[in-house]
Amino acid sequence: MAALRADPALRADSARVRARMLAAAREMLAAGDQDLPMNAIAKAAGVGVGTMYRHFPSRQALLESLAAESYAALVARARTAAEQEDVGAGLAALLRAALESQLSDPSLASVLSAPAHACAETTELGRELGAAALRLLDRARAAGVVRADVSADDLRRLMCGVQHAVRSGGADDPTAAGRYLDIMVRGLRP
Amino acid sequence: MAALRADPALRADSARVRARMLAAAREMLAAGDQDLPMNAIAKAAGVGVGTMYRHFPSRQALLESLAAESYAALVARARTAAEQEDVGAGLAALLRAALESQLSDPSLASVLSAPAHACAETTELGRELGAAALRLLDRARAAGVVRADVSADDLRRLMCGVQHAVRSGGADDPTAAGRYLDIMVRGLRP
DNA sequence: ACCTGAACACCGTTCAAGT
DNA sequence: ACCTGAACACCGTTCAAGT
């Protein structure tokens, strides 16, 4: 009985600590700190380094936790795009969603480009995103609006590439994202 | 007189040491070490760390020195492409050269994507590459084979993006580079 | 002049000791 | 059970001391 009462309390506390670490990490990202040092996050969140590692066994795990919300939102947008009546518009919407999500959340860009996942949840999100993309691709192929030699994973990789192209500008041109997206959409036509 | 004789000797020695450090760095890259720790390179090259820093004041400077040869080769290929009679083929050749160079030399990929240069030589190579690309672009625009809203720097950024897309694959598909390049070439048409 | 490598600061990661 | 933070290893960078 004591355990039953203690457990939720512990979990609630643990969740609060976890949220504090993620908030601290986000603040550092927002402040331009790309490195996200584990020690520094722990100090900023007021916890020991060990607690940091207990919640996030690797930097990749931390990144995936930071990106989880954006990733889920992207999956939702992808599903909406997949059901769109106009398949061509749906495909463009999927690509735009993938690009915008990465540009507004650098941790998502990193996770989408990563060769491997640290958290099972991320793998699941990836599966869901891939499934939505595949549904859309199948419809698009049937409608003849997309090249036949492109897979759902190709779309992911290409959008990671467009993100990289947008980011690799010295002086940032606000029109770049739109133009590059358009180039990609046109290039995917059969 | 003594100075006149000593100088070249020192320079020759310095050049040999420099070459040894670059060779050590290249070996580490070839062995899969992406980090290129300055201390480790110095030890592998049999020199003190200070010597490392005297020749390469920053990691970026080291990267640019590593990439210099590939970069010069790319500029040469770009110039050839710019003079090609068939403008469309020339543009495709330029993009292929940019992609192949980056894929075969990761340090070049890094330098081409970098927001700023550490060495004046690199800036000069960048200028030459940009000039060749612009000559080709002007001809291509006049011939109506390329979108009007694309600059020479856009081409660079897009090819850095394609490189990133090719690299961000889990299982590497040998057909990816060719397909992504084709998508880009088609997307650039007006 | 040029080089060496000890030294300092910093970060990743672990784990014994606390509660 | 969970947390803390000292401790160790490693890397970037500098600079006093050597030649």
Side-chain angles (χ1 to χ4, degrees):
Chain A
M1 281 301 185
L4 280 177
R5 230 182 269 150
D7 216 11
L10 282 173
R11 277 196 206 154
D13 195 56
S14 187
R16 220 174 301 131
V17 163
R18 191 187 133 96
R20 241 182 23 233
M21 290 186 287
L22 288 175
R26 265 187 258 270
E27 257 173 62
M28 297 180 82
L29 270 184
D33 244 352
Q34 298 273 35
D35 292 343
L36 291 185
M38 296 293 243
N39 281 295
I41 299 171
K43 182 169 289 187
V47 300
V49 220
T51 305
M52 196 73 202
Y53 277 90
R54 232 166 57 74
H55 283 261
F56 311 108
S58 65
R59 166 180 289 19
Q60 179 63 23
L62 171 62
L63 269 175
E64 292 176 24
S65 297
L66 283 170
E69 210 174 315
S70 303
Y71 207 151
L74 171 58
V75 169
R77 289 181 71 180
R79 283 179 174 150
T80 303
E83 310 311 334
Q84 219 162 309
E85 266 216 30
D86 181 335
V87 207
L91 186 59
L94 171 66
L95 299 178
R96 185 169 44 248
L99 180 58
E100 282 174 358
S101 306
Q102 290 184 80
L103 290 176
S104 65
D105 183 355
S107 66
L108 178 60
S110 169
V111 169
L112 275 181
S113 286
H117 296 323
C119 311
E121 290 83 356
T122 311
T123 303
E124 177 54 25
L125 284 167
R127 211 185 332 264
E128 290 171 15
L129 181 59
L134 184 57
R135 280 203 305 279
L136 186 50
L137 256 186
D138 281 342
R139 288 181 55 210
R141 266 196 285 259
V145 301
V146 73
R147 304 166 54 119
D149 65 351
V150 177
S151 71
D153 199 55
D154 285 329
L155 292 185
R156 176 190 64 79
R157 291 164 72 179
L158 287 167
M159 294 324 291
C160 289
V162 173
Q163 181 268 345
H164 187 260
V166 172
R167 280 259 164 77
S168 73
D172 56 2
D173 173 355
T175 73
R179 286 182 296 119
Y180 298 172
L181 187 61
D182 189 56
I183 289 168
M184 185 55 54
V185 169
R186 286 164 173 270
L188 286 170
R189 290 186 189 156
Chain B
M1 279 305 181
L4 282 176
R5 229 182 269 150
D7 216 10
L10 282 174
R11 278 197 205 153
D13 196 55
S14 188
R16 220 174 301 130
V17 162
R18 193 188 132 95
R20 245 188 12 239
M21 290 186 289
L22 288 175
R26 265 187 257 271
E27 258 173 60
M28 296 179 84
L29 269 186
D33 244 351
Q34 299 272 35
D35 292 343
L36 290 184
M38 296 295 243
N39 281 294
I41 298 172
K43 183 168 286 188
V47 300
V49 220
T51 304
M52 196 73 201
Y53 277 89
R54 232 166 57 75
H55 283 260
F56 311 108
S58 64
R59 163 174 281 66
Q60 179 63 24
L62 171 63
L63 269 174
E64 291 176 23
S65 298
L66 284 170
E69 211 174 315
S70 303
Y71 206 151
L74 171 59
V75 169
R77 288 181 72 180
R79 283 178 174 150
T80 303
E83 310 311 334
Q84 220 163 308
E85 266 216 30
D86 180 337
V87 207
L91 186 59
L94 172 66
L95 299 178
R96 185 167 46 247
L99 181 57
E100 282 174 357
S101 306
Q102 290 184 81
L103 290 177
S104 65
D105 183 355
S107 67
L108 178 61
S110 169
V111 170
L112 276 181
S113 286
H117 297 323
C119 311
E121 290 84 355
T122 312
T123 303
E124 178 54 25
L125 284 167
R127 210 186 330 264
E128 290 171 14
L129 181 59
L134 184 57
R135 279 203 305 280
L136 186 49
L137 255 186
D138 281 342
R139 290 182 54 210
R141 268 196 284 258
V145 302
V146 73
R147 303 165 56 117
D149 65 351
V150 178
S151 71
D153 199 55
D154 285 330
L155 291 186
R156 176 190 63 79
R157 290 164 73 178
L158 287 166
M159 294 324 291
C160 289
V162 173
Q163 181 267 345
H164 188 261
V166 172
R167 280 259 162 77
S168 73
D172 55 2
D173 173 356
T175 73
R179 286 182 295 118
Y180 298 173
L181 187 62
D182 189 55
I183 289 167
M184 186 55 53
V185 169
R186 286 163 173 271
L188 286 169
R189 291 188 189 154

